[in-house]
């Protein structure tokens, strides 16, 4: 399974780029899955629903299934947050897993960058950032810079990098 990341600071355009890349790459016939790192507590369940009640009662995992989808919720309780390789091992095989976040992990990445955020580029200090997608002209020695909205070009670059 090939893995490629999208990183950047808050409000840099990561999620929009991820969404466009998934649509573009699946539109070319590839099977794509995603992983999104969240820096905050989140819940995909709803208070009062049966699955929520199962978790609240102490279940380590709850699998909620219907004819359209299933969701496996795993409670960490006091366990450490799983590392990216462990999470990848839990996923079904696909052509490409696009990862939003996990900027310190060693997989190749494209950095989403918006000047208005006022943050510095990550790329100059991180060789795993293989390209930048920016809303303003920037230069990063030895790496291509794409317009943040040039989705097809960014997809071409990622697929070529991965040999897909």
């Amino acid at each position: 399974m090939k893995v490629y990341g999208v990183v950047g600071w808050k409000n840099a355009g990561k999620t929009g780029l991820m969404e466009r890349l998934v649509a573009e790459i699946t539109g070319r016939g590839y099977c794509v899955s995603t992983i999104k790192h969240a820096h905050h507590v989140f819940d995909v369940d709803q208070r009062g629903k049966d699955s929520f009640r199962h978790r609240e009662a102490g279940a380590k995992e709850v699998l909620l299934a219907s004819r359209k989808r299933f969701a496996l919720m795993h409670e960490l309780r006091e366990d450490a947050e799983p590392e990216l390789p462990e999470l990848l091992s839990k996923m079904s095989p696909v052509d490409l897993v696009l990862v939003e976040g996990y900027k310190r992990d060693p997989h190749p990445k494209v950095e989403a960058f918006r000047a208005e955020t006022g943050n510095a580029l990550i790329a100059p200090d991180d060789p795993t950032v293989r390209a930048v997608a920016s809303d303003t002209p920037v230069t990063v020695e030895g790496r291509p810079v794409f317009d943040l909205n040039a989705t097809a070009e960014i997809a071409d670059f990622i697929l070529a990098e991965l040999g897909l």
Side-chain angles (χ1 to χ4, degrees):
M1 216 162 35
K2 307 285 187 172
V3 177
Y4 213 93
V6 173
V7 297
W9 301 111
K10 184 176 180 175
N11 297 320
K14 297 179 302 292
T15 302
L17 180 56
M18 284 279 292
E19 182 180 13
R20 293 188 309 273
L21 285 171
V22 170
E24 177 71 26
I25 295 170
T26 58
R28 296 181 188 193
Y30 292 99
C31 188
V32 177
S33 291
T34 66
I35 293 179
K36 159 76 171 113
H37 187 257
H39 293 282
H40 49 81
V41 176
F42 68 92
D43 202 336
V44 296
D45 210 355
Q46 296 177 25
R47 180 172 294 283
K49 295 294 184 181
D50 294 350
S51 53
F52 186 94
R53 293 171 59 191
H54 296 181
R55 286 188 308 122
E56 288 292 299
K60 183 74 171 179
E61 290 189 330
V62 176
L63 195 142
L64 179 61
S66 74
R67 64 184 181 88
K68 295 281 188 180
R69 71 187 52 89
F70 74 87
L72 176 62
M73 293 170 281
H74 181 97
E75 290 297 313
L76 294 175
R77 307 274 180 227
E78 300 304 318
D79 296 343
E81 179 179 350
E83 300 288 330
L84 182 58
E86 180 182 346
L87 297 172
L88 287 165
S89 74
K90 296 178 183 302
M91 299 188 78
S92 299
V94 293
D95 298 315
L96 173 62
V97 178
L98 288 172
V99 178
E100 182 177 340
Y102 291 94
K103 66 176 151 273
R104 291 175 184 84
D105 283 71
H107 60 278
K109 306 163 189 78
V110 61
E111 178 179 358
F113 179 79
R114 282 199 175 121
E116 70 184 35
T117 66
N119 293 308
L121 279 165
I122 297 167
D125 298 320
D126 186 347
T128 67
V129 176
R130 308 285 297 144
V132 174
S134 177
D135 69 345
T136 188
V138 296
T139 302
V140 181
E141 188 174 331
R143 285 173 257 176
V145 176
F146 300 96
D147 181 281
L148 185 57
N149 294 309
T151 308
E153 292 174 33
I154 298 166
D156 289 342
F157 176 81
I158 290 170
L159 295 173
E161 281 250 299
L162 295 173
L164 291 173

